[in-house]
Amino acid sequence: MLEIGTKAPDFILSDQNGTEHSLKDFQGKKIVLYFYPKDNTPGCTSQACGFGELYPQFTEKGAVVIGISKDSVASHKKFEEKYNLPFLLLSDSELSAIKAYDVWHEKNMYGKKTMGVVRTTYLIDEDGIIIKAFGKVKAADNPAQMLQAL
């Protein structure tokens, strides 16, 4: 996990509609940047829907919510449509941002070691500095936790 007080690494990734976005595009706004393992899995769905429900409160506070996983643009589009998600889902199939934000780690699933995304959420200020970092977050609790952190 990246240290609080460090500059958030920039990236250029495509959203669920195929539009490219850079972290710099959001300068001047607070960013809730969350990394999650996979679209349409129970924990990730719970987390995404929680951010969706609280999204008006995030925008009221001048914050942008962005979810990143290694799923494809097409997978993100289906996920967005299925749950009516109002925020950006960025596809990082090359793992560039996932590795830059230090969320790609060895995981132990039923005794089998695999590499994967560790559910992590960063709060980035208007100048692109990480001001909060939450690792191994509980999917269902994370949206409210981030709203409180704002």
Side-chain angles (χ1 to χ4, degrees), residues 12-129:
I12 298 174
L13 298 172
S14 295
D15 69 14
Q16 63 267 40
N17 299 309
T19 306
E20 284 191 344
H21 295 275
S22 160
L23 189 68
K24 285 185 231 162
D25 297 345
F26 304 100
Q27 197 152 10
K29 293 187 175 211
K30 282 196 168 89
I31 303 165
V32 174
L33 185 66
Y34 81 97
F35 292 88
Y36 66 99
K38 190 157 181 52
D39 292 340
N40 287 303
T41 56
C44 297
T45 299
S46 169
Q47 187 178 24
C49 289
F51 276 120
E53 286 168 25
L54 297 175
Y55 190 70
Q57 292 162 288
F58 282 103
T59 57
E60 276 173 26
K61 293 181 182 254
V64 177
V65 176
I66 302 171
I68 297 179
S69 81
K70 66 184 188 68
D71 292 308
S72 68
V73 168
S75 174
H76 281 345
K77 187 66 183 168
K78 287 179 192 158
F79 191 44
E80 172 209 32
E81 288 175 346
K82 185 174 181 180
Y83 296 102
N84 199 24
L85 301 174
F87 53 87
L88 291 175
L89 296 172
L90 301 182
S91 173
D92 188 13
S93 55
E94 303 289 313
L95 307 179
S96 58
I98 288 169
K99 287 182 175 176
Y101 281 83
D102 194 28
V103 297
W104 186 252
H105 293 277
E106 187 174 81
K107 297 166 93 175
N108 196 343
M109 290 272 266
Y110 310 111
K112 183 180 176 194
K113 292 189 185 310
T114 59
M115 292 300 288
V117 173
V118 175
R119 193 181 308 278
T120 306
T121 307
Y122 291 100
L123 180 58
I124 301 167
D125 75 8
E126 296 84 349
D127 299 317
I129 305 298

